[in-house]
Structures are given as structure tokens and as C-alpha cells.
Amino acid sequence: MLPADTIETRLLSPDAAGIAQAAALLRAGRLVAFPTETVYGLGADARDAGAVAAIYAAKCRPSFNPLIAHVADIDAARREGRFDADALRLADAFWPGPLTLVVPADPASRIVDLARAGLESVALRVPDHPVALDLLRAADRPIVAPSANRSGRISPTSARHVMEELAGRIDAILDDGPTTVGLESTIVSCLGEPVLLRCGGVSVEAIEACLGRRLAAASQGPVVAPGMLASHYAPDAPVRLAAAAALPHEGVLDFGGILAGQGAGPYLDLSASGDLIEAAANLFAHLRRLDGTAAGIAVAPIPRTGIGLAINDRLARAAAPRPSAGR
Ligand code: TXA
Ligand code: MG
């Protein structure tokens, strides 16, 4: 059932007063969206089962998937999970940053079962964003935060996107402008030999260079991350990938200007200069804008190197056939 959209959602400024208000709301078990370097997260106290349950209701998440617990530093992370040598090496190299590590939960961790979906493991991340870090320090507890969008929809990279998705369902949004990385964190499971669960803001190449060996790819396991579902990050307009040309009714999502002048619809270039980092930062906002204005979206081919792998991954999910309900 949809929750009633009746709460007044306040926009908070990212100054000391706004952060203090946001932290007080989180400590009181309320939901607050906040910026990270990847996408805006929908935060709740990870130790409060009611607050965690409210996240699922606000997002209309169809099932209880495990959430990422955000903490301010590696010491806080090590109070929640057990880090082996590989996990420590990755945390040292990439935190704060767009990397999530799945590690065995520490028996003393008070992160509620619902946040971990009953698993023995916990996903932890130290975001590289000054407002997020100040908020985590002020809240002084792990904060679970999935992307602040309704389930199955495009992740928000600005406070305005969060408003579009969740106004009336959450208490507040800390607004610090657009996010810089623009797509979600890379997730690596360190429950044994490290396994890549989701490509994202840290490239696979960088992780393999840090570990000194190749990452195993996720086969199948008990947990399928929502970001691993075939149709995810889905705009309403159909998406056509690696387009050599645009059809008349289509808007264009270009890369490096190769589809310039094509199609009669709206045109946006992820990066006119062909810069993959810039393209990642623009991806979700551009998809959202085209979705609002075009009947279909033709997407230019995008190289599969570095963060280009994560861009292609998100686009493939945006283009996948949609389940008829429940996404
Ligand atoms: O960049 C990000 O990671 C953003 C920002 C807000 O930090 N968060 C985010 O959260 O993308 P979410 O909930 O949309 O994705 C979290 C992913 C899910 O795919 C979930 O299944 C996986 O992490 N996950 C969480 N705990 C896990 C666990 N114990 N084992 C395996 N996967 C886990
Ligand atoms: Mg998400």
C-alpha cells in the first residue's frame, strides 16, 4: 500500500544549523535525505527498526533488501563489521569515497536485522562529502541510506530530484546542490575472496590494482542487490542503447557529440568532450530531463573503460524490459 503523502518535507541548508536539525531528526527516528558524492541518500538511524521500516514504506520498496550503513570513519566502520586484510586495504585506499564494503557483521553491532535483511553481513561506507560526514558525526550512529528515490526509479543527484520522488513522505532534505560522482558506489563483498557486487564510482581497475589481483564477479547468491535486477534505474520513456542514429520521435542522450544534430526531440550530451567522469556526474539528471520531455531516448555508445563500465551498467538497466508492476 502506498503511504499517504502527507508529511511536510522541509529543505534544510547545509550549514551548521541545518546539519544539526537533520541530525536531531535522524536521532528521533525520522527520515532525512542528504547528499553524498554519489547520489542523495534517504537516511535513517540504523539502530532503529521503526525508522528503517519507514524507509521501505517511503520508497515503496517491494521487499526488504539490505541497506548500506554510512559511518564517518574507518574506526566507526570497524565497530560494526569485521575487516579482513583485503577489506582493510580497500577501506584505507578508497575511504572516504564511493566504495561500499560488505563484511561480516560484528556481534556487538547494534544495526538492526531489518537493515541487514537478516544477513550475517553488513554493507558499510564512508562517503566523501563534507555535509554527509558532518551529519554522520552529529548523528553519532550509523545511518542507513539507500538512494533517495522511489523503488526502481532513477537515483537522485540533486535535492530537487529528491523532492520529485519523495515530497510528502520524508521529513527533510539537506540540500547541497548536485552530487559530483553522479552514480552509486561500487560494492565489493569481503566475506572471503573479494567479489564485485555492483560496479560504481570506484573503477574495477582501481580496486584490482589496490588488491594486486583480479576481482571475482558476482555469480549468484542469496542476495540479489536491487541494483542487480535487470530493470532498475528505469525512466518511463523507452531507452535505446548504442544508437548509431536517433529516430524522429526520440530525444538524444549523447556522448562526445557523435549524435549532434540528430532527432527532432530534446538533445543532451553527457560530455561534449568525451570525459567519462563528467558523463557519470550528468547521467541521472540528463536521463530524468529527457524522460520528462521525450517519447523515447536514443543513447550514444559509451566506452566501457573506468567509470564507463558503471555508466553502461546503469543504462542497460534503464533500457531493460520493465516488469509490469512492483518495480
Ligand atoms: O552510492 C551509494 O551506494 C548510495 C549512497 C546513498 O550511499 N546508496 C545506495 O544504496 O545506492 P541502495 O540501497 O540503493 O543500494 C545498496 C545496495 C543494494 O543493492 C543492496 O542489495 C546491497 O547494497 N547490499 C546491502 N547490504 C548488503 C549485504 N549485506 N550483502 C550484499 N549486498 C548488500
Ligand atoms: Mg538505489
Side-chain angles (χ1 to χ4, degrees):
M1 199 170 60
L2 292 179
D5 296 351
T6 50
I7 307 174
E8 188 204 342
T9 301
R10 281 185 293 159
L11 270 186
L12 299 176
S13 50
D15 53 17
I19 291 169
Q21 267 182 291
L25 284 166
L26 288 171
R27 293 173 67 102
R30 316 297 304 202
L31 303 185
V32 178
F34 62 95
T36 78
E37 79 280 34
T38 58
V39 300
Y40 274 69
L42 177 57
D45 180 350
R47 297 173 179 165
D48 181 335
V52 176
I55 284 185
Y56 291 100
K59 284 183 60 104
C60 297
R61 235 186 209 195
S63 58
F64 292 148
N65 300 304
L67 303 173
I68 298 170
H70 296 67
V71 288
D73 53 43
I74 193 165
D75 291 338
R78 293 185 73 180
R79 288 194 285 275
E80 309 300 332
R82 291 187 168 166
F83 285 63
D84 66 10
D86 289 325
L88 271 183
R89 185 171 304 140
L90 291 171
D92 274 337
F94 297 109
W95 280 355
L99 175 69
T100 295
L101 295 173
V102 174
V103 298
D106 191 281
S109 170
R110 285 162 53 206
I111 294 175
V112 296
D113 271 359
L114 182 56
R116 295 187 282 111
L119 296 169
E120 303 289 308
S121 56
V122 63
L124 292 161
R125 174 162 117 77
V126 179
D128 185 16
H129 192 290
V131 173
L133 290 173
D134 281 351
L135 177 66
L136 292 168
R137 283 186 211 106
D140 194 26
R141 64 199 61 195
I143 298 296
V144 282
S147 49
N149 51 276
R150 276 175 283 140
S151 188
R153 293 179 45 84
I154 299 167
S155 294
T157 55
S158 73
R160 189 174 53 77
H161 298 161
V162 180
M163 270 296 180
E164 286 168 14
E165 293 286 325
L166 298 173
R169 298 180 181 196
I170 64 176
D171 286 274
I173 304 170
L174 258 178
D175 180 1
D176 194 37
T179 63
T180 51
V181 174
L183 45 73
E184 296 85 348
S185 59
T186 302
I187 305 180
V188 175
S189 167
C190 294
L191 300 175
E193 188 56 21
V195 173
L196 177 70
L197 296 184
R198 176 174 80 184
C199 51
V202 176
S203 73
V204 176
E205 295 92 321
I207 289 168
E208 291 181 340
C210 172
L211 291 173
R213 60 194 196 278
R214 299 297 297 266
L215 264 181
S219 49
Q220 68 278 3
V223 177
V224 178
M228 294 164 74
L229 296 175
S231 171
H232 201 66
Y233 311 102
D236 292 325
V239 176
R240 205 162 55 81
L241 300 181
L247 303 174
H249 71 280
E250 285 178 325
V252 172
L253 185 62
D254 207 355
F255 179 75
I258 62 169
L259 299 178
Q262 297 202 21
Y267 173 92
L268 290 172
D269 199 332
L270 289 169
S271 169
S273 65
D275 175 354
L276 286 169
I277 305 235
E278 182 186 14
N282 285 328
L283 178 67
F284 290 146
H286 280 14
L287 266 179
R288 211 173 257 278
R289 271 176 61 196
L290 288 173
D291 194 29
T293 47
I297 304 172
V299 185
I302 293 166
R304 291 178 181 276
T305 53
I307 201 168
L309 199 62
I311 297 174
N312 276 287
D313 170 81
R314 304 304 189 273
L315 284 168
R317 294 173 208 282
R322 318 287 158 76
S324 49
R327 71 179 167 85

